[in-house]
Amino acid sequence: MKKRNTNRRSKPKKKSFCVADWIREGRVAFLDSEFVTSQQKGGPPSKLVSVGLVICQKNFEEVERFHSYIFNDEPLHDKFRELTNITEEMLLRAPSYEQVMREIAKKLREWNVKKIFVWGPDQMVIAQDLKYYRTDVSKHTRKAVNMMLPLMMDIEEIYSKKLKMRSIGIANLKLLCGLKPSVSHDALEDAVDLKNIIAYMDIHGCPERAANVLRQYMKEKEIYYRYRRFHEKWEGISDEVLIKCNALMQELENVESMEARALKDDLHVIAIGEDAAFEELEVFFEKANRKKYK
């Protein structure tokens, strides 16, 4: 009978992707952009109006920051203005697309940047913007942008998988890493936020308990809104129905499930007219911490 070879070498585990490994090899950049999306289904591609860039070397040390708006003479929709605080006047005073992109390409060359990391669709937006809106730019600028695009890498899915979650927003990630969870929707500030999040994740790792709380939050929030149906008061409800609503709401107070909570909030807005929403992540974290230390 043949002896089993116990000295057989096992295959080494494939090392997971880590931005810190790239930084050891050379300088990298984190990029974020602001763009105007069409308000019509099947409308034109998003149009680039702002770019922010932070360049880092070993240990995530910053060596350069860059931010610029991009000239745009088309009207902005209300949702975009509210979200970004960018106005038509700011974009009318901004440098041209060619000036901005040449300056970015220059900084990337000067610092010999090996990779540009983004969180989300920035690479696709910049590529479509070049193709759809910048047909009149010079060959030099077009070449500079086309050389930049292959350097860009979307790391949203990679780091979401590391956390064993579906794609999550920057605000949630900031809270997870002990940073203020607000998101400015300013291209440079968001690029710096991304750099700080990835630096924390790669150097310190993810706090497992905080990650578990975030997973629970996302799960419960999804269930809650899946079962919510009503957001306005019903007129003409009889007193008898209101009494039954109040009695059922009291019973639901003692049921610990998201389905029960959604039903209770539906009944509350139907009967009383006061709508409710799922709490913000910060509040959820505070509740989880109170339970931990009880």
Side-chain angles (χ1 to χ4, degrees), residues 17-78:
F17 178 89
C18 191
V19 170
D21 293 337
W22 281 85
I23 290 181
R24 292 189 193 99
E25 301 298 323
R27 297 186 184 96
V28 304
F30 294 88
L31 180 145
D32 187 77
S33 62
E34 299 298 334
F35 41 86
V36 183
T37 56
S38 173
Q39 295 299 283
Q40 298 176 348
K41 190 175 181 180
S46 301
K47 187 173 186 181
L48 195 67
V49 295
S50 174
V51 179
L53 185 79
V54 55
I55 299 174
C56 303
Q57 59 186 11
K58 193 175 180 181
N59 296 323
F60 291 89
E61 178 190 357
E62 291 186 25
V63 295
E64 180 84 65
R65 286 186 177 189
F66 172 82
H67 173 263
S68 181
Y69 298 114
I70 296 171
F71 176 82
N72 176 67
D73 58 0
E74 297 175 1
L76 306 172
H77 54 76
D78 292 341

Side-chain angles (χ1 to χ4, degrees), residues 8 72 74 108 115 122 188 203-204 248 270 290:
R8 184 181 295 170
N72 176 67
E74 297 175 1
L108 295 174
K115 206 73 176 172
D122 301 81
L188 177 58
I203 295 169
H204 303 289
L248 183 52
I270 286 170
R290 285 199 295 270

Side-chain angles (χ1 to χ4, degrees), residues 60-232:
F60 291 89
E61 178 190 357
E62 291 186 25
V63 295
E64 180 84 65
R65 286 186 177 189
F66 172 82
H67 173 263
S68 181
Y69 298 114
I70 296 171
F71 176 82
N72 176 67
D73 58 0
E74 297 175 1
L76 306 172
H77 54 76
D78 292 341
K79 188 176 179 181
F80 178 82
R81 282 195 296 267
E82 289 169 12
L83 189 66
T84 64
N85 291 320
I86 296 173
T87 64
E88 282 91 346
E89 291 75 18
M90 293 163 69
L91 299 182
L92 285 170
R93 296 195 302 266
S96 70
Y97 174 86
E98 294 217 30
Q99 287 176 282
V100 174
M101 288 306 175
R102 285 188 183 187
E103 185 64 24
I104 292 174
K106 179 184 173 185
K107 291 185 182 298
L108 295 174
R109 284 195 307 271
E110 286 175 348
W111 290 106
N112 193 24
V113 170
K114 302 295 184 184
K115 206 73 176 172
I116 305 169
F117 297 106
V118 299
W119 188 275
D122 301 81
Q123 182 184 27
M124 180 184 69
V125 168
I126 292 172
Q128 289 185 343
D129 175 89
L130 176 66
K131 182 179 178 181
Y132 190 87
Y133 297 107
R134 317 298 172 180
T135 54
D136 58 345
V137 298
S138 67
K139 289 182 179 179
H140 179 74
T141 302
R142 186 171 297 277
K143 182 179 177 182
V145 178
N146 281 326
M147 288 178 67
M148 185 196 312
L149 288 169
L151 297 180
M152 296 177 72
M153 181 179 185
D154 181 8
I155 55 175
E156 182 177 5
E157 186 176 349
I158 293 169
Y159 279 83
S160 294
K161 282 183 178 178
K162 283 188 178 188
L163 294 166
K164 299 175 183 175
M165 300 180 202
R166 289 177 299 190
S167 180
I168 56 178
I170 292 292
N172 290 350
L173 278 172
K174 286 180 71 177
L175 187 60
L176 193 68
C177 297
L179 306 169
K180 289 183 179 179
S182 60
V183 175
S184 65
H185 293 290
D186 171 89
L188 177 58
E189 288 185 32
D190 290 348
V192 172
D193 281 344
L194 178 59
K195 185 268 296 185
N196 290 335
I197 288 164
I198 299 305
Y200 186 96
M201 297 276 287
D202 285 1
I203 295 169
H204 303 289
C206 174
E208 191 54 38
R209 184 182 172 278
N212 286 334
V213 173
L214 179 55
R215 290 185 198 106
Q216 188 65 26
Y217 173 81
M218 295 174 72
K219 179 182 176 183
E220 291 187 9
K221 185 177 181 180
E222 192 275 328
I223 294 171
Y224 174 79
Y225 282 112
R226 192 196 313 160
Y227 283 90
R228 280 300 308 271
R229 291 292 181 271
F230 306 104
H231 298 279
E232 293 181 358

